[in-house]
Amino acid sequence: MSINEAVEREANSAAKAQFDLVLRGERILTTAGITAREIGVRDGKIVAIEPLGNNLEGKRVIEVGADEVLLPGLVDTHVHVNEPGRTEWEGFESATKAAAAGGVTTIVDMPLNTIPPTVTLENLEIKKAAAAPKAFVNVGFWGGAIPGNKGNLRELHDAGVFGFKCFLLHSGVDEFPALTVDEMEEDMAELKSFDSLMIVHAEDSSSIDHAPEAEGDQYDRFLKSRPRGAENVAIAQVIERARWTGVRAHVLHLSSSDALAMIKTAKADGVKITVETCPHYLTLLAEEIPNGATAYKCCPPIREASNRELLWKGLEEGIIDCIVSDHSPSTIDLKDVENGDFGVAWGGVASLQLGLSLIWTEAQKRGIALEQVIQWMSGKPAELAGLKNKGAIALGNDADFALFAPEDAYVVDVKKLHHKNPISPYHGKTLAGVVRKSILAGEDIDFQTPKGKLIRRGEA
């Protein structure tokens, strides 16, 4: 070999060894826990994880601060973006910026509150066209299961939706009607034939029809209009129809702790059932909601202190699988702020940007480690959606990260959030933990240039 060939080979070898990005620090959350590591990124993937001090070389190097922890980017599988059709409520630009500011690097968008809803292949394409030029984080889509669209489910699945959402009572918008329990079972059997997932808003319509009307500014009256029993009955129906059909089923936004026992039993019986809850059920209390404070209204509702503690216990015992936002924003006028009427106001809490800090604030009080919080908010939602390359800092995974300062704190100011409408039950609250930077496929999210991708089931 000539000297020139040797020099060229050595140069090529050095170029190969250099990474696009190197992150190093004392506190890196890998599958081995929080430890001192160096991470090498090439072509948007994690290709090296080595002990701190190995001095990996990168075109760009990020030194993780002594007060920071490098986390895998969070995955939020329950987000209502509302574009197109109701973009004044929220849109892909504002929603994905809010996600990035909160350390969330992947969202899966719900099929309703947009016009048209994601219930046909044509409507999915309309949604994708709206999202593609505005996504600051990765965006995937749920399909919808409504009366009459059973014939559309397989083609939506083949087009890459992550599963199908249905309601067992009025969804709040007329263009996304509810299924009866028998219709849900029929669609479950269809989904089982191609191994898709049915995700269910589980409140029983008949139970709510027989409950007191929600009207006026008294939160207690609204709470009685959405009783725990409505959730319990519907969840029992989901469990039994999932048992009969063998489909994978998922209970959305669990708020009733009464249902935990039957969910635990169903899982022990081998029913393919998973469950999520949300920050508002784990942080807020019915007893503390002021009269007329419609920013707190959501369905199912925020319940009592004793219920909240049992939900935390359900998480710790593994009965509840994950924590996601159910980010369901609206315009301020739809929240009926002027009158404070819980019967009139739109039901939904906007928290996409705040979720990690909300949960970390409460977790610390209970002695729950950050590693566990991230498993609930990243690893498990990624698993639910089948995102095999997300949810953990591991070799081969996508280089999606959040730089988080767990000992830092801030006061929530709705005017400083990226959410389109400045209304939140968390305004003025002091929260622990600050997201200082989010990284997508090895590149900083700069809030100027959208670099998020539209992701499909089975691809990401």
PDB file of all heavy atoms in Angstrom, residues 154-175:
ATOM      1  N   ARG A 154     -59.960  -0.945   7.028  1.00  0.00           N
ATOM      2  CA  ARG A 154     -58.769  -1.646   6.545  1.00  0.00           C
ATOM      3  C   ARG A 154     -57.889  -0.727   5.689  1.00  0.00           C
ATOM      4  O   ARG A 154     -56.663  -0.753   5.798  1.00  0.00           O
ATOM      5  CB  ARG A 154     -59.169  -2.892   5.741  1.00  0.00           C
ATOM      6  CG  ARG A 154     -57.968  -3.691   5.207  1.00  0.00           C
ATOM      7  CD  ARG A 154     -57.072  -4.148   6.353  1.00  0.00           C
ATOM      8  NE  ARG A 154     -55.786  -4.637   5.919  1.00  0.00           N
ATOM      9  CZ  ARG A 154     -55.466  -5.949   5.848  1.00  0.00           C
ATOM     10  NH1 ARG A 154     -56.361  -6.863   6.161  1.00  0.00           N
ATOM     11  NH2 ARG A 154     -54.272  -6.314   5.486  1.00  0.00           N
ATOM     12  N   GLU A 155     -58.500   0.093   4.833  1.00  0.00           N
ATOM     13  CA  GLU A 155     -57.677   0.950   3.984  1.00  0.00           C
ATOM     14  C   GLU A 155     -57.000   2.047   4.805  1.00  0.00           C
ATOM     15  O   GLU A 155     -55.867   2.444   4.489  1.00  0.00           O
ATOM     16  CB  GLU A 155     -58.489   1.533   2.827  1.00  0.00           C
ATOM     17  CG  GLU A 155     -59.606   2.469   3.198  1.00  0.00           C
ATOM     18  CD  GLU A 155     -60.352   2.992   1.967  1.00  0.00           C
ATOM     19  OE1 GLU A 155     -60.067   2.500   0.845  1.00  0.00           O
ATOM     20  OE2 GLU A 155     -61.221   3.873   2.138  1.00  0.00           O
ATOM     21  N   LEU A 156     -57.632   2.513   5.864  1.00  0.00           N
ATOM     22  CA  LEU A 156     -56.974   3.466   6.762  1.00  0.00           C
ATOM     23  C   LEU A 156     -55.806   2.802   7.480  1.00  0.00           C
ATOM     24  O   LEU A 156     -54.733   3.388   7.633  1.00  0.00           O
ATOM     25  CB  LEU A 156     -57.976   4.019   7.777  1.00  0.00           C
ATOM     26  CG  LEU A 156     -58.896   5.138   7.274  1.00  0.00           C
ATOM     27  CD1 LEU A 156     -60.069   5.327   8.224  1.00  0.00           C
ATOM     28  CD2 LEU A 156     -58.134   6.439   7.113  1.00  0.00           C
ATOM     29  N   HIS A 157     -56.005   1.569   7.920  1.00  0.00           N
ATOM     30  CA  HIS A 157     -54.931   0.801   8.548  1.00  0.00           C
ATOM     31  C   HIS A 157     -53.753   0.640   7.586  1.00  0.00           C
ATOM     32  O   HIS A 157     -52.599   0.874   7.951  1.00  0.00           O
ATOM     33  CB  HIS A 157     -55.470  -0.567   8.973  1.00  0.00           C
ATOM     34  CG  HIS A 157     -54.435  -1.531   9.461  1.00  0.00           C
ATOM     35  ND1 HIS A 157     -53.901  -1.480  10.723  1.00  0.00           N
ATOM     36  CD2 HIS A 157     -53.831  -2.578   8.834  1.00  0.00           C
ATOM     37  CE1 HIS A 157     -53.016  -2.450  10.868  1.00  0.00           C
ATOM     38  NE2 HIS A 157     -52.950  -3.133   9.746  1.00  0.00           N
ATOM     39  N   ASP A 158     -54.055   0.261   6.355  1.00  0.00           N
ATOM     40  CA  ASP A 158     -53.000   0.074   5.362  1.00  0.00           C
ATOM     41  C   ASP A 158     -52.289   1.389   5.032  1.00  0.00           C
ATOM     42  O   ASP A 158     -51.124   1.385   4.616  1.00  0.00           O
ATOM     43  CB  ASP A 158     -53.587  -0.527   4.080  1.00  0.00           C
ATOM     44  CG  ASP A 158     -54.020  -1.981   4.266  1.00  0.00           C
ATOM     45  OD1 ASP A 158     -53.605  -2.609   5.267  1.00  0.00           O
ATOM     46  OD2 ASP A 158     -54.794  -2.477   3.414  1.00  0.00           O
ATOM     47  N   ALA A 159     -52.989   2.514   5.232  1.00  0.00           N
ATOM     48  CA  ALA A 159     -52.392   3.830   4.979  1.00  0.00           C
ATOM     49  C   ALA A 159     -51.556   4.315   6.160  1.00  0.00           C
ATOM     50  O   ALA A 159     -50.954   5.388   6.073  1.00  0.00           O
ATOM     51  CB  ALA A 159     -53.483   4.841   4.661  1.00  0.00           C
ATOM     52  N   GLY A 160     -51.533   3.532   7.265  1.00  0.00           N
ATOM     53  CA  GLY A 160     -50.590   3.833   8.331  1.00  0.00           C
ATOM     54  C   GLY A 160     -51.140   4.431   9.606  1.00  0.00           C
ATOM     55  O   GLY A 160     -50.360   4.840  10.473  1.00  0.00           O
ATOM     56  N   VAL A 161     -52.488   4.495   9.783  1.00  0.00           N
ATOM     57  CA  VAL A 161     -52.990   4.992  11.060  1.00  0.00           C
ATOM     58  C   VAL A 161     -52.626   3.984  12.153  1.00  0.00           C
ATOM     59  O   VAL A 161     -52.443   2.791  11.905  1.00  0.00           O
ATOM     60  CB  VAL A 161     -54.505   5.265  11.039  1.00  0.00           C
ATOM     61  CG1 VAL A 161     -54.868   6.282   9.978  1.00  0.00           C
ATOM     62  CG2 VAL A 161     -55.319   3.989  10.893  1.00  0.00           C
ATOM     63  N   PHE A 162     -52.520   4.475  13.388  1.00  0.00           N
ATOM     64  CA  PHE A 162     -52.011   3.659  14.483  1.00  0.00           C
ATOM     65  C   PHE A 162     -53.089   2.835  15.185  1.00  0.00           C
ATOM     66  O   PHE A 162     -52.781   2.023  16.060  1.00  0.00           O
ATOM     67  CB  PHE A 162     -51.294   4.560  15.491  1.00  0.00           C
ATOM     68  CG  PHE A 162     -49.967   5.050  14.983  1.00  0.00           C
ATOM     69  CD1 PHE A 162     -49.888   6.188  14.206  1.00  0.00           C
ATOM     70  CD2 PHE A 162     -48.807   4.349  15.246  1.00  0.00           C
ATOM     71  CE1 PHE A 162     -48.665   6.636  13.706  1.00  0.00           C
ATOM     72  CE2 PHE A 162     -47.581   4.776  14.758  1.00  0.00           C
ATOM     73  CZ  PHE A 162     -47.508   5.925  13.982  1.00  0.00           C
ATOM     74  N   GLY A 163     -54.325   3.033  14.812  1.00  0.00           N
ATOM     75  CA  GLY A 163     -55.453   2.343  15.420  1.00  0.00           C
ATOM     76  C   GLY A 163     -56.679   3.204  15.226  1.00  0.00           C
ATOM     77  O   GLY A 163     -56.653   4.186  14.464  1.00  0.00           O
ATOM     78  N   PHE A 164     -57.762   2.862  15.923  1.00  0.00           N
ATOM     79  CA  PHE A 164     -59.050   3.510  15.678  1.00  0.00           C
ATOM     80  C   PHE A 164     -59.735   3.909  16.975  1.00  0.00           C
ATOM     81  O   PHE A 164     -59.840   3.108  17.913  1.00  0.00           O
ATOM     82  CB  PHE A 164     -59.949   2.570  14.865  1.00  0.00           C
ATOM     83  CG  PHE A 164     -59.396   2.307  13.495  1.00  0.00           C
ATOM     84  CD1 PHE A 164     -58.486   1.272  13.292  1.00  0.00           C
ATOM     85  CD2 PHE A 164     -59.728   3.120  12.432  1.00  0.00           C
ATOM     86  CE1 PHE A 164     -57.946   1.039  12.037  1.00  0.00           C
ATOM     87  CE2 PHE A 164     -59.182   2.893  11.175  1.00  0.00           C
ATOM     88  CZ  PHE A 164     -58.295   1.862  10.967  1.00  0.00           C
ATOM     89  N   LYS A 165     -60.227   5.142  16.981  1.00  0.00           N
ATOM     90  CA  LYS A 165     -60.922   5.652  18.160  1.00  0.00           C
ATOM     91  C   LYS A 165     -62.429   5.600  17.945  1.00  0.00           C
ATOM     92  O   LYS A 165     -62.930   5.934  16.871  1.00  0.00           O
ATOM     93  CB  LYS A 165     -60.517   7.102  18.435  1.00  0.00           C
ATOM     94  CG  LYS A 165     -61.216   7.681  19.665  1.00  0.00           C
ATOM     95  CD  LYS A 165     -60.754   9.090  19.977  1.00  0.00           C
ATOM     96  CE  LYS A 165     -61.349   9.566  21.297  1.00  0.00           C
ATOM     97  NZ  LYS A 165     -60.854  10.907  21.681  1.00  0.00           N
ATOM     98  N   CYS A 166     -63.122   5.206  19.016  1.00  0.00           N
ATOM     99  CA  CYS A 166     -64.580   5.302  18.998  1.00  0.00           C
ATOM    100  C   CYS A 166     -65.074   5.896  20.310  1.00  0.00           C
ATOM    101  O   CYS A 166     -64.365   5.900  21.324  1.00  0.00           O
ATOM    102  CB  CYS A 166     -65.228   3.943  18.755  1.00  0.00           C
ATOM    103  SG  CYS A 166     -65.137   2.801  20.166  1.00  0.00           S
ATOM    104  N   PHE A 167     -66.282   6.406  20.273  1.00  0.00           N
ATOM    105  CA  PHE A 167     -66.982   6.913  21.449  1.00  0.00           C
ATOM    106  C   PHE A 167     -68.176   6.012  21.743  1.00  0.00           C
ATOM    107  O   PHE A 167     -68.802   5.491  20.811  1.00  0.00           O
ATOM    108  CB  PHE A 167     -67.498   8.333  21.198  1.00  0.00           C
ATOM    109  CG  PHE A 167     -66.474   9.410  21.394  1.00  0.00           C
ATOM    110  CD1 PHE A 167     -65.479   9.615  20.459  1.00  0.00           C
ATOM    111  CD2 PHE A 167     -66.526  10.242  22.505  1.00  0.00           C
ATOM    112  CE1 PHE A 167     -64.541  10.620  20.616  1.00  0.00           C
ATOM    113  CE2 PHE A 167     -65.589  11.251  22.684  1.00  0.00           C
ATOM    114  CZ  PHE A 167     -64.592  11.445  21.743  1.00  0.00           C
ATOM    115  N   LEU A 168     -68.521   5.896  23.023  1.00  0.00           N
ATOM    116  CA  LEU A 168     -69.728   5.181  23.417  1.00  0.00           C
ATOM    117  C   LEU A 168     -70.823   6.147  23.876  1.00  0.00           C
ATOM    118  O   LEU A 168     -71.828   5.725  24.446  1.00  0.00           O
ATOM    119  CB  LEU A 168     -69.409   4.167  24.521  1.00  0.00           C
ATOM    120  CG  LEU A 168     -68.500   3.015  24.073  1.00  0.00           C
ATOM    121  CD1 LEU A 168     -68.196   2.077  25.223  1.00  0.00           C
ATOM    122  CD2 LEU A 168     -69.120   2.247  22.907  1.00  0.00           C
ATOM    123  N   LEU A 169     -70.611   7.445  23.647  1.00  0.00           N
ATOM    124  CA  LEU A 169     -71.621   8.482  23.884  1.00  0.00           C
ATOM    125  C   LEU A 169     -71.302   9.636  22.954  1.00  0.00           C
ATOM    126  O   LEU A 169     -70.280   9.609  22.261  1.00  0.00           O
ATOM    127  CB  LEU A 169     -71.625   8.932  25.340  1.00  0.00           C
ATOM    128  CG  LEU A 169     -70.553   9.934  25.800  1.00  0.00           C
ATOM    129  CD1 LEU A 169     -70.861  10.410  27.210  1.00  0.00           C
ATOM    130  CD2 LEU A 169     -69.160   9.374  25.720  1.00  0.00           C
ATOM    131  N   HIS A 170     -72.134  10.661  22.932  1.00  0.00           N
ATOM    132  CA  HIS A 170     -71.923  11.783  22.012  1.00  0.00           C
ATOM    133  C   HIS A 170     -70.523  12.343  22.195  1.00  0.00           C
ATOM    134  O   HIS A 170     -70.083  12.620  23.306  1.00  0.00           O
ATOM    135  CB  HIS A 170     -72.970  12.872  22.249  1.00  0.00           C
ATOM    136  CG  HIS A 170     -73.038  13.875  21.146  1.00  0.00           C
ATOM    137  ND1 HIS A 170     -72.116  14.899  20.998  1.00  0.00           N
ATOM    138  CD2 HIS A 170     -73.909  14.008  20.102  1.00  0.00           C
ATOM    139  CE1 HIS A 170     -72.418  15.622  19.930  1.00  0.00           C
ATOM    140  NE2 HIS A 170     -73.511  15.112  19.372  1.00  0.00           N
ATOM    141  N   SER A 171     -69.832  12.529  21.079  1.00  0.00           N
ATOM    142  CA  SER A 171     -68.423  12.935  21.138  1.00  0.00           C
ATOM    143  C   SER A 171     -68.237  14.417  21.440  1.00  0.00           C
ATOM    144  O   SER A 171     -67.116  14.852  21.717  1.00  0.00           O
ATOM    145  CB  SER A 171     -67.748  12.622  19.799  1.00  0.00           C
ATOM    146  OG  SER A 171     -68.250  13.475  18.776  1.00  0.00           O
ATOM    147  N   GLY A 172     -69.312  15.183  21.334  1.00  0.00           N
ATOM    148  CA  GLY A 172     -69.202  16.631  21.472  1.00  0.00           C
ATOM    149  C   GLY A 172     -69.271  17.340  20.141  1.00  0.00           C
ATOM    150  O   GLY A 172     -69.534  18.544  20.089  1.00  0.00           O
ATOM    151  N   VAL A 173     -69.023  16.597  19.047  1.00  0.00           N
ATOM    152  CA  VAL A 173     -69.144  17.163  17.694  1.00  0.00           C
ATOM    153  C   VAL A 173     -69.976  16.210  16.840  1.00  0.00           C
ATOM    154  O   VAL A 173     -69.786  14.991  16.866  1.00  0.00           O
ATOM    155  CB  VAL A 173     -67.761  17.410  17.051  1.00  0.00           C
ATOM    156  CG1 VAL A 173     -67.028  18.538  17.783  1.00  0.00           C
ATOM    157  CG2 VAL A 173     -66.900  16.155  17.034  1.00  0.00           C
ATOM    158  N   ASP A 174     -70.905  16.768  16.081  1.00  0.00           N
ATOM    159  CA  ASP A 174     -71.883  15.943  15.362  1.00  0.00           C
ATOM    160  C   ASP A 174     -71.271  15.118  14.240  1.00  0.00           C
ATOM    161  O   ASP A 174     -71.821  14.075  13.877  1.00  0.00           O
ATOM    162  CB  ASP A 174     -72.996  16.834  14.800  1.00  0.00           C
ATOM    163  CG  ASP A 174     -73.851  17.444  15.899  1.00  0.00           C
ATOM    164  OD1 ASP A 174     -73.876  16.878  17.015  1.00  0.00           O
ATOM    165  OD2 ASP A 174     -74.484  18.492  15.646  1.00  0.00           O
ATOM    166  N   GLU A 175     -70.134  15.573  13.687  1.00  0.00           N
ATOM    167  CA  GLU A 175     -69.568  14.846  12.540  1.00  0.00           C
ATOM    168  C   GLU A 175     -68.792  13.595  12.965  1.00  0.00           C
ATOM    169  O   GLU A 175     -68.271  12.870  12.121  1.00  0.00           O
ATOM    170  CB  GLU A 175     -68.672  15.762  11.696  1.00  0.00           C
ATOM    171  CG  GLU A 175     -67.422  16.256  12.397  1.00  0.00           C
ATOM    172  CD  GLU A 175     -67.630  17.517  13.234  1.00  0.00           C
ATOM    173  OE1 GLU A 175     -68.778  17.988  13.352  1.00  0.00           O
ATOM    174  OE2 GLU A 175     -66.626  18.026  13.765  1.00  0.00           O
TER     175      GLU A 175
END
